[in-house]
DNA sequence: GTGAAAGCGCTAACAA
DNA sequence: TTGTTAGCGCTTTCAC
């Protein structure tokens, strides 16, 4: 393996100069730089990240902690982040929790991240106070994507508002009995979105003068199967809702499936609306509140890179806009529906 | 930051012994080991991967090169790989090409991977001869997932057979005009699956005594939108097929959509079958040939770890089984259908 | 079973 | 603009 020494010997200069030239630092004559580059190229020199990391204390690597990559939302955020990191020459270390509590424990508790990465992106998880303590002890920029965490750098949508938009859409269509499918408001994979969305839903109902019925709130665990089950229970009630708002498109898709199983037509018998604008949403004709997923990854990565570049950078809270996308799973309430 | 020296000083031993104890190497007394562990714990010692990497030449990191993480198939493979890598204490560096030719170029051409990782997993890409040359010059274990590459370690399904299974299913149902939606058999994101699947399709038709019609073979680019478009053109032909075999579930889902747009009922007017058993397949009631996706990631990771552990390891070609999953998008050909 | 010592390949002061 | 000189924190012979 050819090292910086070989290049230095080749151009008859010190390794310090070669290092400077290679990294494009100032204070190197144009001619020297050119000679170094040429030599490095010719010798097939490839820098050693380990050595550079050891000497500089920087790994040029960013950790991305994600609940489950197989969920489209997370994959899309990762993709967005990867793009901007790669552009800046940073590598992306993926930590996939896959719903496994012990995996989460390992990532946060043991200092898996210490001395490994320059910054961390945490997707849709709300670190516990203990985990937060560990994260800040890392002494590295951390950005939370998709969750609210005052005092920390975050990139997200206004979940309360998104839920309100979805619910209002249903109310505007004349629906009064509106079911809600959400997720645990606490737990291993701890999001803040679930509770914010529930709040948005409840607020709109209240404002509309509809008394909210706890029986109409079900837990779909943010998965398709969970949404299906939750919808099944909701739609089999004698006083079944004429519309269902699912806090994620995946749960909404499950709800669609449940409706079909029960022989209910969508949107004639029951309206369904979700949140995300999942890539599959249009193929289900799903009405939803779209959020800029990919963009959240990009912004988050940009944010940690900025923090890395600027010593007195203060955490920002970025909120990206959402937009109602009306497709064909929602319609005006039929006179007979929902009693 | 506490280093190995601090621990050594604390237990009044050399750093060499501490290093051995910490890594669980033989030749350390039980008592010493216990004291070292306790001290490390108490002092909050965290090893530096950079230093270890520099000294040992091993990074305990594996690169995973993936065409696009947002595609469920790839995300699932990554998830499988991550699980086994994490178990063995390896980190996963994600390189997402996202359909970008220059990204691919960067990963393979420039020696981005050199001195960075101990092994590489390449998903569904068939490296060009030039890229292969570079990969083997890495001198590291490389496993290809989802593509055939003689002489290299690969993990995949028998694509030809999977396609044959899908096509036979349609033939068995009495279909004679069977459309095919595949992808470019070469290109930037160069798979071997497309051509193998096309071959499987053609062979079955031939065996069935059905003359294969080039007009019935369309390119869906392995995306939903592409599949939709391809199906649209196929199903609008005057001599439209009574069944369509899409080489991936995503394209099949697009085909389902196209059929609906054209007012064709599935499976009454047209049968549709895919390959993958995508997580969404059951929600579309899609008949498909299932492949063990997650498992391919696990096997591939296990393979490179084995190669890393064993000096005279020879590349293995693992072929995982597939299985026809009959749902409700395929049916016996109607007397009137397909002319 | 343990230790001394020599690096691994680079960066970063500090000089010149 | 360039060079000298120390390390960064660990692993790995080679002794003992």
């Amino acid at each position: 393996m050819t090292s910086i020494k070989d290049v230095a010997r080749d151009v008859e200069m010190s390794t310090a100069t070669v290092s400077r030239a290679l990294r494009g630092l100032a204070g190197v004559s144009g001619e020297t730089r050119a000679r170094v580059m040429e030599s490095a190229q010719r010798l097939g020199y490839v820098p050693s990240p380990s050595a550079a990391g050891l000497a500089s204390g920087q790994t040029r690597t960013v950790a991305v902690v994600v609940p489950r990559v197989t969920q489209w939302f997370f994959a899309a955020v990762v993709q967005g982040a990867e793009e901007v990191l790669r552009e800046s020459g940073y590598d992306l270390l993926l930590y996939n929790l896959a719903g496994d509590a012990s995996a989460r424990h390992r990532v946060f508790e043991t200092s898996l991240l210490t001395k490994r990465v320059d910054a961390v992106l945490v997707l849709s998880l709300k670190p516990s106070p203990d985990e937060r303590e560990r994260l800040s002890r890392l002494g590295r920029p951390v950005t939370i994507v998709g969750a609210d965490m005052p005092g920390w750098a975050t990139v997200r949508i206004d979940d309360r508002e998104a839920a309100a938009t979805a619910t209002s859409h249903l109310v505007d269509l004349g629906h009064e009995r509106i079911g809600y499918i959400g997720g645990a408001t606490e737990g291993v994979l701890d999001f803040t979105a679930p509770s914010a969305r529930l709040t948005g839903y409840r607020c709109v109902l209240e404002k509309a003068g509809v008394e909210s019925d706890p029986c109409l709130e079900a837990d779909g665990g943010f998965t398709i199967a969970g949404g299906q089950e939750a919808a099944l229970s909701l739609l089999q009630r004698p006083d079944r809702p004429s519309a269902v708002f699912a806090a994620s498109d995946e749960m909404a898709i499950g709800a669609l499936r449940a409706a079909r199983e029960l022989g209910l037509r969508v949107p004639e018998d029951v309206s369904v609306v979700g949140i995300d604008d999942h890539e599959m949403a249009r193929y289900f004709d799903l009405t939803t509140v779209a959020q800029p997923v990919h963009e959240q990854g990009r912004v988050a990565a940009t944010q940690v890179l900025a923090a890395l570049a600027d010593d007195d950078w203060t955490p920002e809270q970025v909120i990206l806009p959402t937009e109602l996308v009306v497709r064909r799973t929602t319609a005006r309430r039929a006179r007979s529906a929902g009693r």
Side-chain angles (χ1 to χ4, degrees), chain A:
Chain A
M1 282 285 88
T2 120
S3 82
I4 203 174
K5 263 190 190 163
D6 302 308
V7 178
R9 196 177 304 123
D10 185 60
V11 296
E12 299 177 304
M13 295 239 149
S14 70
T15 60
T17 300
V18 171
S19 173
R20 285 188 280 252
L22 254 17
R23 285 180 296 155
L25 296 190
V28 178
S29 77
E31 200 222 316
T32 301
R33 185 181 312 273
R35 280 180 48 222
V36 168
M37 297 309 236
E38 185 277 329
S39 170
Q41 174 82 40
R42 176 162 42 78
L43 268 37
Y45 168 73
V46 178
S48 155
S50 295
L54 182 55
S56 71
Q58 302 197 149
T59 60
R60 293 199 75 83
T61 299
V62 172
V64 177
V65 180
V66 23
R68 339 181 85 249
V69 240
T70 47
Q71 229 156 314
W72 172 81
F73 176 86
F74 299 124
V77 173
V78 167
Q79 178 154 312
E82 211 263 1
E83 283 170 15
V84 346
L85 292 177
R86 182 83 46 234
E87 273 167 28
S88 300
Y90 277 78
D91 275 329
L92 189 160
L93 221 39
L94 186 74
Y95 292 90
N96 185 48
L97 306 184
D100 178 3
S102 78
R104 174 176 183 146
H105 193 271
R106 243 173 304 138
V107 170
F108 289 117
E109 298 284 307
T110 82
S111 310
L112 207 55
L113 269 24
T114 315
K115 301 181 187 173
R116 266 256 108 170
V117 297
D118 294 346
V120 181
L121 256 42
V122 180
L123 304 202
S124 295
L125 298 168
K126 186 184 181 177
S128 67
D130 185 58
E131 290 167 347
R132 250 171 290 185
E133 164 68 17
R134 287 167 199 279
L135 274 178
S136 60
R137 260 212 303 263
L138 270 182
R140 304 282 185 184
V142 175
T143 287
I144 313 285
V145 181
D148 185 16
M149 218 163 95
W152 291 67
T154 55
V155 177
R156 59 183 180 98
I157 59 169
D158 185 330
D159 287 295
R160 207 174 154 295
E161 187 192 75
T165 301
T167 313
S168 295
H169 172 59
L170 296 175
V171 167
D172 291 348
L173 287 171
H175 295 280
E176 286 171 0
R177 284 193 68 74
I178 300 176
Y180 173 79
I181 302 178
T185 46
E186 50 193 80
V188 177
L189 297 182
D190 208 9
F191 310 81
T192 58
S195 49
R197 293 181 188 178
L198 177 57
T199 306
Y201 157 80
R202 284 183 182 159
C203 281
V204 169
L205 288 195
E206 193 178 336
K207 250 187 239 145
V210 178
E211 79 180 299
S212 87
D213 180 349
C215 296
L216 292 186
E217 295 172 5
D219 185 345
F222 278 80
T223 65
I224 306 181
Q228 181 177 353
E229 236 176 286
L232 232 32
S233 74
L234 247 34
L235 296 176
Q236 279 178 314
R237 299 180 60 85
D239 55 348
R240 69 173 166 78
S242 65
V244 170
F245 161 43
S248 82
D249 279 358
E250 261 144 339
M251 294 192 291
I253 289 169
L256 253 24
R257 173 77 193 195
R260 183 151 39 125
E261 275 177 21
L262 296 174
L264 295 171
R265 289 163 309 161
V266 174
E268 292 84 350
D269 300 321
V270 57
S271 283
V272 174
V273 59
I275 289 186
D276 278 348
D277 202 16
H278 188 288
E279 65 170 340
M280 290 282 180
R282 42 176 307 212
Y283 298 97
F284 284 102
D285 279 328
L286 181 66
T287 294
T288 189
V289 177
Q291 64 168 318
V293 186
H294 185 253
E295 188 61 16
Q296 287 180 71
R298 292 193 64 97
V299 172
T302 306
Q303 211 172 58
V304 293
L305 290 183
L308 247 19
D310 179 8
D311 282 336
D312 38 53
W313 179 88
T314 50
E316 278 178 72
Q317 329 248 307
V318 179
I319 294 191
L320 264 29
T322 57
E323 189 192 5
L324 178 68
V325 178
V326 179
R327 296 205 180 90
R328 283 187 295 214
T329 56
T330 50
R332 183 150 287 283
R333 186 188 124 199
R335 248 170 298 282
S336 60
R339 283 193 316 176

